[in-house]
Amino acid sequence: MIDAAGLRVMRAIADEGSFTAAALSLGYSQPAISQMVRRLEARTGTTLVERVGRSVRLTEAGAVLARHAGPVLSALDAAEEEVAAIAGLRSGRVRLMAFPSASATLVPKALAMVKAEHPGVTITFSEAEPRESLAALRAGECDLAVAFVYEGTDLGRGEEDLDPFVTTPLLDDEVLLAVPHDHELAQAKNVDMAALKDETWIAGCPRCRGHLLQLASTAGYVPDIAYETEDYVAVMGLIAEGLGVAVIPDLILKTVHHEDVAALPMTPASRRHIVAVTTPDLQRVPAVKATLDALVASAQASNSKPSKAKR
Amino acid sequence: MIDAAGLRVMRAIADEGSFTAAALSLGYSQPAISQMVRRLEARTGTTLVERVGRSVRLTEAGAVLARHAGPVLSALDAAEEEVAAIAGLRSGRVRLMAFPSASATLVPKALAMVKAEHPGVTITFSEAEPRESLAALRAGECDLAVAFVYEGTDLGRGEEDLDPFVTTPLLDDEVLLAVPHDHELAQAKNVDMAALKDETWIAGCPRCRGHLLQLASTAGYVPDIAYETEDYVAVMGLIAEGLGVAVIPDLILKTVHHEDVAALPMTPASRRHIVAVTTPDLQRVPAVKATLDALVASAQASNSKPSKAKR
DNA sequence: TGAATCCTATAACGCGTAGTTATCATAAGG
DNA sequence: CCTTATGATAACTACGCGTTATAGGATTCA
């Protein structure tokens, strides 16, 4: 019934003492004030302004409105300012999730960039496998996820539906074969997957295990998986001891280097796409957008050549 | 930029959890909410609502608006309620001024009536001669004045311009000739003003003095005014002691009765009109209107026959 | 007293906001 | 898989809320 504009007008009249002055102070024309007052009087059913000769004077009811104007308008201003702070990146909160090996360099660098450029933006970060982070994103417990997708592996495959999300490519990570330093293939330039039929395998995370199975399946056999662990330091150790070989993304190899392990390209070449995932809505939230931009910049600075945008 | 309606919508969305439910709770249609949110997002330049599958969830900025809605809206409601209280006569203040002899019965009765019917309305009352009360009315220091006008005396006469006011007739008060009980005319049914040429006169208030001068002037002489006092009790005393005669309104005679004074009609008949005066604006203020109505009722109950409305 | 000036009120008009209904597209759930 | 619930969009309407132009009073000053 009574709106903020009405209160602003009443306060201006109280302060300025005339319609004309009030109009001037609000940037309106004089008749606008006349009409606004009339509207307010019609709505409230009471006289608000006493037109006395040259000037005007507020009635009791009018004074009441003018008196309430201050608190209401300043509360509105406060709300507006707070939203503007978020929109202007002087404030904001982003909940970021990334898979463990992305945490090593990609994410820390991006966090530092955001903090440097927008000190008001706070980012809460937690590690999670793609499966979990996408679930969190879907559940609204996360604003931005850094995940990966194996090439060839169809994005969705039922469990991870990327349909409602927008994905931004960050890095293309080549998957290499890791063998002991003294392995017969250690010096090879390239190795065919089919040639590894009789090797003993070490698998990483469930997702990577699936990838291995798919690669072997394509080559026409089922790999002999002797060890499984999500700890890639352990994987490297196992390989170094000659207990097996493994397919490991280049990015991980760079992080957990082991001098007794050699890495070599495979045929067919296999890649892991590292992407940032969010929703169309969240992508437009300034703080989220800034973090996403920082991730892209971080990826470009750190390493390879991102491929073209997707979806 | 941000208005109360927007805050109300954001709060409803936060409370209800969906656009449809929010629309229902506000009595709007669902698209109205959709559009309102879009407008707000355009104005703030930020995403306020995250459309997640079936339902929606507020972003940080949206939550900020929803959080501010409470204080702002309740402040608005408070203002509205306060104005409604004044409009509904559950509250209100009236500054009433009346000339002294009206204070005796007319005003007290009216005050009692208002108090009985509208306990929330408080009336502040002070005595003042018509000249003062009208000046106060013009200066905005008074909402309602009870004044009088002598018949024949032109209302305005330069000094008391009733143009910007509205006057409501309350009583018609006949002006009588007051003489000592043992005066030669004391038993007369009627007395001609012209026959009083050689009397010694006692004048009341300045205004009444003016009236006396006009009556005498019409009759063709200048009265011999021996005493002047605004205190009508004193006037009666002077008359009773045989020190002179006076023209006194009937209403005053009823109030300050003196058994040694006789009152008789004069020719030409002269009347004093007692009126309530206010401004067109103030007349529409509920508390003022109620007081004015009470004055009219009080006048009708107490005495004579009010004449028809004026201006 | 009359002219000048400063107010407010009113009329006529235009535009944008904010509703409506109707229809479509998409998730969620049995 | 089909139903159902929910949000988005389009097209339309209306009126709230500004504008300019002009008229009507009130106050001041010569």
Side-chain angles (χ1 to χ4, degrees):
Chain A
M1 184 168 184
I2 288 183
D3 60 347
L7 290 187
R8 193 172 353 253
V9 167
M10 292 306 294
R11 184 178 61 174
I13 293 173
D15 289 347
E16 305 290 335
S18 85
F19 284 14
T20 301
L24 206 62
S25 91
L26 294 177
Y28 289 153
S29 66
Q30 170 267 314
I33 306 295
S34 264
Q35 295 183 80
M36 176 61 99
V37 170
R38 194 199 327 206
R39 274 194 293 272
L40 285 175
E41 289 183 334
R43 288 183 203 168
T44 59
T46 319
T47 305
L48 298 176
V49 177
E50 188 185 344
R51 283 80 164 174
V52 45
R54 183 105 118 189
S55 190
V56 297
R57 184 173 24 243
L58 296 186
T59 66
E60 195 187 354
V64 163
L65 290 187
R67 179 159 47 78
H68 277 85
V72 170
L73 294 178
S74 62
L76 272 179
D77 283 349
E80 201 165 314
E81 163 56 26
E82 208 166 325
V83 171
I86 295 173
L89 285 170
R90 301 196 308 282
S91 165
R93 213 171 305 276
V94 179
R95 295 160 300 176
L96 174 66
M97 297 182 98
F99 60 91
S101 58
S103 314
T105 59
L106 192 67
V107 167
K109 195 175 293 188
L111 294 189
M113 291 172 67
V114 172
K115 183 164 193 70
E117 201 151 349
H118 309 295
V121 174
T122 63
I123 303 180
T124 63
F125 165 62
S126 56
E127 289 192 346
E129 291 299 326
R131 188 96 166 246
E132 303 169 55
S133 63
L134 293 185
L137 192 56
R138 190 182 300 271
E141 295 156 1
C142 165
D143 300 313
L144 186 58
V146 178
F148 58 81
V149 170
Y150 281 106
E151 200 174 58
T153 308
D154 203 16
L155 291 184
R157 224 181 52 192
E159 43 185 338
E160 281 163 21
D161 190 1
L162 289 182
D163 237 28
F165 299 132
V166 282
T167 70
T168 306
L170 294 179
L171 289 174
D172 278 1
D173 196 13
E174 180 152 16
V175 180
L176 303 178
L177 178 72
V179 298
H181 193 265
D182 53 2
H183 193 278
E184 54 178 350
L185 292 173
Q187 303 304 326
K189 289 269 193 249
N190 194 306
V191 59
D192 193 319
M193 192 65 195
L196 301 168
K197 184 173 188 302
D198 299 322
E199 292 287 341
T200 300
W201 291 89
I202 302 165
C205 69
R207 186 71 191 275
C208 313
R209 185 180 193 278
H211 184 233
L212 167 61
L213 291 175
Q214 184 178 13
L215 287 177
S217 164
T218 304
Y221 61 93
V222 174
D224 169 24
I225 297 175
Y227 305 93
E228 286 185 52
T229 170
E230 297 202 11
D231 182 352
Y232 276 96
V233 177
V235 172
M236 297 299 273
L238 293 171
I239 296 173
E241 293 297 330
L243 298 176
V245 301
V247 285
I248 304 182
D250 191 29
L251 189 64
I252 294 177
L253 286 171
K254 284 199 177 103
T255 308
V256 291
H257 185 72
H258 194 297
E259 56 179 17
D260 292 336
V261 173
L264 38 152
M266 298 192 305
T267 301
S270 171
R271 293 184 168 282
R272 184 174 78 151
H273 298 289
I274 299 179
V275 294
V277 186
T278 185
T279 68
D281 291 318
L282 289 173
Q283 194 182 21
R284 316 186 93 185
V285 171
V288 173
K289 182 69 166 61
T291 307
L292 190 132
D293 290 346
L295 280 171
V296 170
S298 168
Q300 276 180 337
S302 90
N303 255 344
S304 323
K305 60 283 158 181
S307 57
K308 63 258 179 192
K310 188 173 208 170
R311 185 193 158 70
Chain B
M1 183 165 182
I2 287 183
D3 60 347
L7 291 187
R8 194 173 351 254
V9 167
M10 291 305 295
R11 185 178 60 173
I13 294 173
D15 289 349
E16 306 290 336
S18 84
F19 283 14
T20 301
L24 206 63
S25 90
L26 293 178
Y28 289 155
S29 64
Q30 170 265 316
I33 306 295
S34 264
Q35 295 183 79
M36 176 61 101
V37 170
R38 191 194 331 198
R39 275 194 294 272
L40 285 175
E41 290 184 333
R43 287 184 203 166
T44 58
T46 320
T47 305
L48 298 176
V49 179
E50 188 186 345
R51 283 79 165 176
V52 45
R54 181 104 122 191
S55 191
V56 297
R57 182 173 26 241
L58 297 187
T59 65
E60 195 187 356
V64 163
L65 290 187
R67 178 158 48 78
H68 278 86
V72 170
L73 293 177
S74 62
L76 272 179
D77 284 349
E80 200 164 317
E81 164 55 27
E82 207 166 324
V83 171
I86 294 173
L89 283 170
R90 301 196 309 282
S91 165
R93 210 171 308 276
V94 179
R95 294 160 302 175
L96 174 67
M97 298 182 98
F99 60 91
S101 61
S103 315
T105 58
L106 191 69
V107 167
K109 195 176 293 186
L111 294 189
M113 291 172 66
V114 172
K115 183 162 190 75
E117 201 150 349
H118 308 294
V121 174
T122 65
I123 303 181
T124 64
F125 165 62
S126 57
E127 289 193 346
E129 291 301 326
R131 188 96 163 247
E132 306 168 55
S133 62
L134 292 186
L137 192 55
R138 191 183 299 273
E141 295 156 1
C142 164
D143 301 315
L144 187 58
V146 178
F148 56 83
V149 170
Y150 281 106
E151 200 175 56
T153 307
D154 202 17
L155 291 185
R157 227 185 45 194
E159 44 184 341
E160 282 165 18
D161 190 2
L162 290 181
D163 238 29
F165 300 132
V166 282
T167 71
T168 306
L170 294 178
L171 288 175
D172 279 0
D173 196 11
E174 181 153 16
V175 180
L176 303 178
L177 179 72
V179 297
H181 194 264
D182 53 3
H183 193 277
E184 54 179 348
L185 293 171
Q187 303 304 327
K189 290 271 193 250
N190 196 305
V191 61
D192 194 316
M193 191 66 195
L196 302 167
K197 186 173 186 304
D198 298 322
E199 292 287 341
T200 298
W201 290 90
I202 303 165
C205 67
R207 187 71 191 274
C208 312
R209 185 181 193 277
H211 184 233
L212 167 60
L213 292 176
Q214 184 177 13
L215 287 179
S217 165
T218 304
Y221 60 94
V222 174
D224 169 23
I225 297 177
Y227 305 92
E228 289 186 49
T229 171
E230 298 202 12
D231 181 353
Y232 276 96
V233 176
V235 173
M236 297 299 273
L238 294 171
I239 296 172
E241 293 297 332
L243 299 176
V245 301
V247 286
I248 304 182
D250 190 30
L251 190 62
I252 294 177
L253 287 171
K254 283 198 177 104
T255 308
V256 290
H257 186 72
H258 194 296
E259 55 178 20
D260 290 337
V261 173
L264 38 151
M266 298 191 306
T267 302
S270 172
R271 295 185 168 280
R272 185 175 76 152
H273 299 287
I274 300 179
V275 295
V277 186
T278 186
T279 68
D281 292 318
L282 289 171
Q283 194 181 24
R284 317 186 93 186
V285 172
V288 173
K289 182 69 167 60
T291 307
L292 192 136
D293 289 347
L295 280 170
V296 170
S298 167
Q300 277 180 336
S302 91
N303 254 346
S304 324
K305 59 284 159 182
S307 59
K308 63 258 179 193
K310 186 175 211 172
R311 182 196 162 75

